């Protein structure tokens, strides 16, 4: 049935403009016999974390290999989407379709064995849906879970032999699920599944394109249902690649077709423990805020009621350091740079999460999330320059161009240096995950030609504004800081301060690490946004509390400590990443380990800048608030 034969007698007339709209909105509608082209993506392994091109192995090739246009995020993720010789016809099953015939040599056999040992998976795409393997769970509910892609092969032993052999999955039984419109009879693809088999195909006579297989014959209705005679991977072995295609009608609607893929890690999600942890953090934050407000209100009221200067001088605590609390810190330039960079990160993450929570960055848009983050980072340079310049001018700084250049270059240069070394390691492994020269040039272009100028524009605007005035005057001679108790030691209080912010996110961190390193989809951005808000509140409150205790002990060196207090949570994040590596991952290769710790170092550094900036601004607001509330003669 064709689309034009749905209602031949209908008098309805459609304008060319409406026709174009309908054509665009129905581009996923298929009629019987429509050609369906399968695309292939990278080979992935959770054991090596090094992706490889599909055609790096001796798989069947089309006459011309065509790369699909990939966005910046896809290239950085190592995606390499190409065409394949697999072609189906909509709702027309095929049995035992011979794809090609390959003879292994020593080199290709070795490559296949290595990929099988490293548990590499083959990824394919049909109508923008990734290929999955349905696996029945062994627990009591016996539900079906879906794994991304199918294994290149498997290891096993022949009966009576102790020698372990490698076998390739050379027969694929595809199942394409579709949802049919009951009115038009048109259908949309809502599922793409496969069951891989290893079969040593046999045939009579010499090989030719028209030869009939004796192990799999559509004429005799002989179908592959098991891998009892598997195809061994050895030098000089003949491998015949075949596939079946079956079409199943599904009740799943096209709008919900990604739900199956997003629920892959459902068995690992313990919603109760996550919500419980979040409630505990919220409760602690509320208690801390209440205690702080009551204590401060009493302190300020008592101080303002003192009648004489002598009585005021007898007071102890945070009131006595009012003449030194706004004294510029040592390395104030570096603090300005880090605060500006943190503002840039905060803006990027906030906008990204809002867009992701609203559904604009769904997993179906491969690479969209990473592309959005990179572009937002670049454009948020405007706010980085502004924040740096405002703080720098408050510290009586004059060389705003030099501080702006540091803001534009310091953090990105550090990250780029680590990234460049890691990329060189990936190049050395000949992995498709290596970023090509063109993409590297594009990153440098975004950095120097867009981000750096925007930082300068923001700094120029910020420096033109009048300087932020301190609520109290600063004494010319610094006050001597009395000896501090052991628990007020800077290192100890900084390390203690990072525990609560890390505690707010560590459960969510598990799922983020799982999605990145175990190649699963992460999709609960609404929940992540709530965790991010809780992280902001926790960083702010723990920094304010410890800053208050510090000022009460007459230690006015709060600038850097406020940044490091909440920023120290990045140390716990990196330690947790190391714990995750040794307990959850099965990575053995040194290069893969270097990749993991290199990227987690970048992530921890970014987390340090983000949380440190949140803590700094919270403490900055807090100190200005309390010292502007007291009467100081």
């Amino acid at each position: 049935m064709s689309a034009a034969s749905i209602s031949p007698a209908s008098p309805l007339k459609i304008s060319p403009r409406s026709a174009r709209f309908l054509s665009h909105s129905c581009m996923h509608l298929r009629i019987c016999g429509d050609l369906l082209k399968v695309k292939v993506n990278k080979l992935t392994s959770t054991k090596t974390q090094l992706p490889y091109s599909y055609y790096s192995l001796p798989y069947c090739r089309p006459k011309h290999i065509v790369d699909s246009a990939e966005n910046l995020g896809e290239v950085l993720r190592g995606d390499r989407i190409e065409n394949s010789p697999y072609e189906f016809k909509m709702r027309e099953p095929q049995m035992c379709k011979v794809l090609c015939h390959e003879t292994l040599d020593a080199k290709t056999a070795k490559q296949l064995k290595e990929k099988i040992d490293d548990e590499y998976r083959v990824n394919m795409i049909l109508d923008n849906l990734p290929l999955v393997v349905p696996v029945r769970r062994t627990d009591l509910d016996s539900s079906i879970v879906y794994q991304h892609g199918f294994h290149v092969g498997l290891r096993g032993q022949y009966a009576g032999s102790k020698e372990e052999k490698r076998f390739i999955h050379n027969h694929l039984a595809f199942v394409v699920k579709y949802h049919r419109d009951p009115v038009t009879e048109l259908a949309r693809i809502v599922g793409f599944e496969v069951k891989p088999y290893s079969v040593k195909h046999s045939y009579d006579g010499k090989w030719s394109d028209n030869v009939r297989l004796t192990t799999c014959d559509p004429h005799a209705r002989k179908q592959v249902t098991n891998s009892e005679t598997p195809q061994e991977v050895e030098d000089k072995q003949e491998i015949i690649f075949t596939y079946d295609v079956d079409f199943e009608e599904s009740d799943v609607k096209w709008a919900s077709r990604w739900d199956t893929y997003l629920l892959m890690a459902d068995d690992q999600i313990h919603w109760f423990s996550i919500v419980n942890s979040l409630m505990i953090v919220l409760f602690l934050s509320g208690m801390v805020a209440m205690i702080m407000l009551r204590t401060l209100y009493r302190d300020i009221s008592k101080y303002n009621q003192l009648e004489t200067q002598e009585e005021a001088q007898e007071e102890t605590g945070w009131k006595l350091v009012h003449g030194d609390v706004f004294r510029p810190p040592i390395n104030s330039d570096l603090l300005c740079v880090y605060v500006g960079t943190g503002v840039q990160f905060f803006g990027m993450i906030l906008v990204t999460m809002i867009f992701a929570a609203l559904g604009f960055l769904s997993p179906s848009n491969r690479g969209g999330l990473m592309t959005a983050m990179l572009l937002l980072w670049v454009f948020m340079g405007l706010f980085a320059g502004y924040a740096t310049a405002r703080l720098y001018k408050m510290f009586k700084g004059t060389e705003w161009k030099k501080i702006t250049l540091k803001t534009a270059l310091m953090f990105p240069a550090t990250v780029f240096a680590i990234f460049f070394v890691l990329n060189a390691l990936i190049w050395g492994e000949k992995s498709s995950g290596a970023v090509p020269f063109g993409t590297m040039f594009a990153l440098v272009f975004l950095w120097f030609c867009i981000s750096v100028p925007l930082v300068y524009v923001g700094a120029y605007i910020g420096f033109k504004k009048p300087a932020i005035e301190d609520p109290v005057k600063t004494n010319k001679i610094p006050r001597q800081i009395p000896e501090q108790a052991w628990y007020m030691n800077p290192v100890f209080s900084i390390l203690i301060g990072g525990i609560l912010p890390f505690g707010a996110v560590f459960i969510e961190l598990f799922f983020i690490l799982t999605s990145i390193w175990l190649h699963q989809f992460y999709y609960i951005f609404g929940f992540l946004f709530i965790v991010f808000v809780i992280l902001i509140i926790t960083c702010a409150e723990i920094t304010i509390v410890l800053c208050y205790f510090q000022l009460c002990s007459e230690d006015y060196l709060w600038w850097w400590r406020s940044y490091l207090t909440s920023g120290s949570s990045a140390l716990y994040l990196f330690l947790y990443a190391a714990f995750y590596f040794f307990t959850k991952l099965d990575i053995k290769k040194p290069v893969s380990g270097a990749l993991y710790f290199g990227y987690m170092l970048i992530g921890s550094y970014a987390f340090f800048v983000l949380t440190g900036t949140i803590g700094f601004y919270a403490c900055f607001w807090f100190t200005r608030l309390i010292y502007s509330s007291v009467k100081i003669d």
Side-chain angles (χ1 to χ4, degrees):
M1 179 181 290
S2 68
S5 65
I6 295 170
S7 181
S10 174
L12 179 65
K13 293 184 178 180
I14 302 175
S15 67
R17 182 178 180 182
S18 299
R20 286 196 298 271
F21 171 76
L22 288 172
S23 174
H24 176 74
S25 63
C26 300
M27 63 183 177
H28 292 279
L29 285 169
R30 311 283 184 177
I31 62 174
C32 287
D34 266 0
L35 186 64
L36 306 177
K37 294 185 177 182
V38 176
K39 294 183 179 181
V40 292
N41 201 350
K42 60 189 176 184
L43 308 172
T44 56
S45 168
T46 57
K47 293 184 71 173
T48 69
Q49 303 296 333
L50 293 169
Y52 286 90
S53 168
Y54 175 83
Y55 293 113
S56 64
L57 293 182
Y59 285 123
C60 303
R61 295 169 176 254
K63 290 182 180 179
H64 303 286
I65 297 176
V66 181
D67 290 332
S68 296
E70 290 140 355
N71 59 42
L72 186 60
E74 284 179 304
V75 176
L76 294 175
R77 280 167 31 120
D79 284 343
R80 298 295 181 268
I81 302 173
E82 298 161 313
N83 62 328
S84 80
Y86 291 96
E87 292 185 349
F88 313 151
K89 289 187 177 180
M90 186 66 181
R91 295 165 69 179
E92 292 184 9
Q94 300 179 55
M95 182 189 293
C96 201
K97 179 83 172 178
V98 177
L99 201 62
C100 72
H101 169 273
E102 298 283 346
T103 302
L104 298 182
D105 55 25
K107 182 180 178 182
T108 53
K110 181 184 177 184
Q111 288 176 335
L112 278 171
K113 287 180 180 179
E114 288 175 350
K115 296 296 185 290
I116 292 170
D117 287 342
D118 289 333
E119 299 178 7
Y120 269 86
R121 289 179 172 272
V122 179
N123 295 283
M124 295 182 176
I125 301 167
L126 177 64
D127 196 31
N128 201 37
L129 277 179
L131 180 68
V132 292
V133 178
V135 179
R136 188 169 295 278
R137 286 171 52 163
T138 56
D139 53 9
L140 296 177
D141 63 359
S142 297
S143 61
I144 300 290
V145 293
Y146 295 91
Q147 297 176 349
H148 271 298
F150 62 91
H151 282 112
V152 171
L154 68 157
R155 292 182 295 180
Q157 300 167 339
Y158 289 115
S161 173
K162 292 185 179 179
E163 185 181 2
E164 193 172 50
K165 299 285 187 180
R166 278 78 173 174
F167 306 99
I168 186 174
H169 285 136
N170 61 322
H171 180 85
L172 304 177
F174 293 106
V175 176
V176 178
K177 295 187 175 182
Y178 65 92
H179 181 77
R180 183 169 57 88
D181 189 318
V183 178
T184 64
E185 290 295 321
L186 298 175
R188 289 185 173 96
I189 296 171
V190 295
F192 186 33
E193 300 176 4
V194 70
K195 286 185 179 179
Y197 298 98
S198 181
V199 182
K200 185 174 179 58
H201 287 300
S202 58
Y203 53 91
D204 296 326
K206 291 186 177 180
W207 174 260
S208 68
D209 291 340
N210 298 321
V211 74
R212 287 178 62 172
L213 302 178
T214 58
T215 47
C216 179
D217 189 356
H219 302 286
R221 309 299 296 173
K222 187 171 184 180
Q223 193 172 0
V224 174
T225 56
N226 56 55
S227 300
E228 288 182 359
T229 55
Q231 175 62 61
E232 190 177 333
V233 176
E234 288 295 345
D235 186 19
K236 304 292 191 298
Q237 283 280 346
E238 279 187 318
I239 300 179
I240 300 171
F241 290 92
T242 56
Y243 67 93
D244 302 330
V245 185
D246 197 13
F247 289 86
E248 288 184 6
E249 189 169 355
S250 173
D251 293 331
V252 177
K253 294 183 179 180
W254 189 81
S256 306
R257 66 179 190 158
W258 272 87
D259 291 356
T260 301
Y261 299 86
L262 300 182
L263 293 174
M264 285 182 182
D266 186 54
D267 58 321
Q268 295 181 344
I269 295 179
H270 305 288
W271 287 102
F272 177 78
S273 74
I274 294 176
V275 174
N276 185 51
S277 297
L278 293 177
M279 293 303 294
I280 290 172
V281 171
L282 282 171
F283 175 75
L284 288 174
S285 301
M287 290 293 292
V288 166
M290 185 173 67
I291 292 169
M292 286 302 305
L293 288 173
R294 292 185 63 181
T295 306
L296 272 175
Y297 180 77
R298 187 177 65 247
D299 275 359
I300 292 171
S301 299
K302 183 178 177 183
Y303 189 84
N304 287 339
Q305 288 172 3
L306 296 176
E307 296 179 356
T308 65
Q309 185 68 23
E310 288 76 16
E311 287 179 309
Q313 289 175 351
E314 290 175 6
E315 276 292 306
T316 59
W318 60 271
K319 286 82 65 178
L320 288 182
V321 295
H322 63 81
D324 298 275
V325 74
F326 292 105
R327 189 180 303 281
I330 57 171
N331 295 322
S332 59
D333 290 10
L334 186 62
L335 181 63
C336 295
V337 170
Y338 269 111
V339 169
T341 306
V343 169
Q344 190 173 4
F345 249 109
F346 182 83
M348 177 197 76
I349 292 175
L350 181 65
V351 177
T352 301
M353 284 193 183
I354 291 173
F355 275 96
L358 293 174
F360 291 107
L361 300 173
S362 73
S364 61
N365 180 16
R366 269 179 296 274
L369 181 65
M370 188 171 290
T371 304
M373 291 179 71
L374 276 171
L375 294 178
L376 283 170
W377 163 264
V378 168
F379 290 110
M380 287 295 166
L382 189 72
F383 297 96
Y386 181 83
T388 300
R390 293 286 286 152
L391 192 61
Y392 183 67
K393 192 170 185 179
M394 191 188 79
F395 289 149
K396 307 295 188 295
T398 55
E399 299 179 345
W400 70 274
K401 292 181 180 178
K402 181 188 286 188
I403 200 73
T404 305
L405 187 64
K406 288 181 181 178
T407 305
L409 299 182
M410 195 177 77
F411 180 85
T414 306
V415 172
F416 190 82
I418 298 172
F419 176 73
F420 188 82
V421 172
L422 296 179
N423 197 57
L425 293 176
I426 301 174
W427 267 115
E429 294 291 321
K430 298 179 181 178
S431 166
S432 66
V435 176
F437 175 78
T439 306
M440 197 74 79
F441 178 79
L443 292 175
V444 174
F445 177 83
L446 287 172
W447 177 14
F448 282 100
C449 298
I450 301 179
S451 180
V452 172
L454 284 176
V455 174
Y456 266 94
V457 171
Y460 177 79
I461 296 171
F463 208 77
K464 283 292 182 183
K465 286 188 169 288
I468 301 171
E469 294 186 3
D470 299 330
V472 289
K473 292 181 180 179
T474 301
N475 296 334
K476 292 183 179 179
I477 301 175
R479 179 187 179 89
Q480 186 174 359
I481 300 173
E483 188 175 348
Q484 302 293 303
W486 65 270
Y487 52 83
M488 291 307 297
N489 181 277
V491 176
F492 180 78
S493 63
I494 287 169
L495 291 177
I496 289 295
I499 294 176
L500 194 57
F502 172 75
V505 298
F506 89 96
I507 295 177
E508 195 63 23
L509 183 65
F510 170 80
F511 297 107
I512 294 173
L513 291 178
T514 300
S515 68
I516 294 172
W517 300 107
L518 296 182
H519 304 151
Q520 296 179 5
F521 285 117
Y522 186 88
Y523 64 98
I524 43 177
F525 291 106
F527 187 81
L528 183 63
F529 184 76
I530 296 172
V531 174
F532 181 62
V533 172
I534 291 174
L535 174 67
I536 295 171
I537 296 170
T538 317
C539 286
E541 290 186 345
I542 193 66
T543 308
I544 288 172
V545 169
L546 292 180
C547 180
Y548 174 70
F549 291 154
Q550 179 186 351
L551 295 175
C552 284
S553 61
E554 299 177 28
D555 182 356
Y556 52 84
L557 303 177
W558 63 273
W559 296 96
W560 271 109
R561 199 187 292 195
S562 66
Y563 196 98
L564 297 173
T565 295
S566 53
S568 66
S569 56
L571 173 64
Y572 297 104
L573 187 149
F574 189 77
L575 293 175
Y576 180 78
F579 171 78
Y580 185 89
F581 177 85
F582 291 110
T583 58
K584 300 296 180 183
L585 300 180
D586 187 24
I587 293 177
K588 298 291 192 294
K589 291 189 176 183
V591 171
S592 304
L595 285 178
Y596 177 86
F597 283 104
Y599 284 126
M600 290 313 302
L601 182 63
I602 292 175
S604 301
Y605 187 26
F607 193 72
F608 164 74
V609 172
L610 172 70
T611 53
T613 300
I614 294 170
F616 170 82
Y617 272 116
C619 204
F620 181 68
W621 167 81
F622 171 74
T623 51
R624 292 181 63 82
L625 179 68
I626 62 173
Y627 284 102
S628 61
S629 301
V630 295
K631 299 173 185 176
I632 297 172
D633 297 327

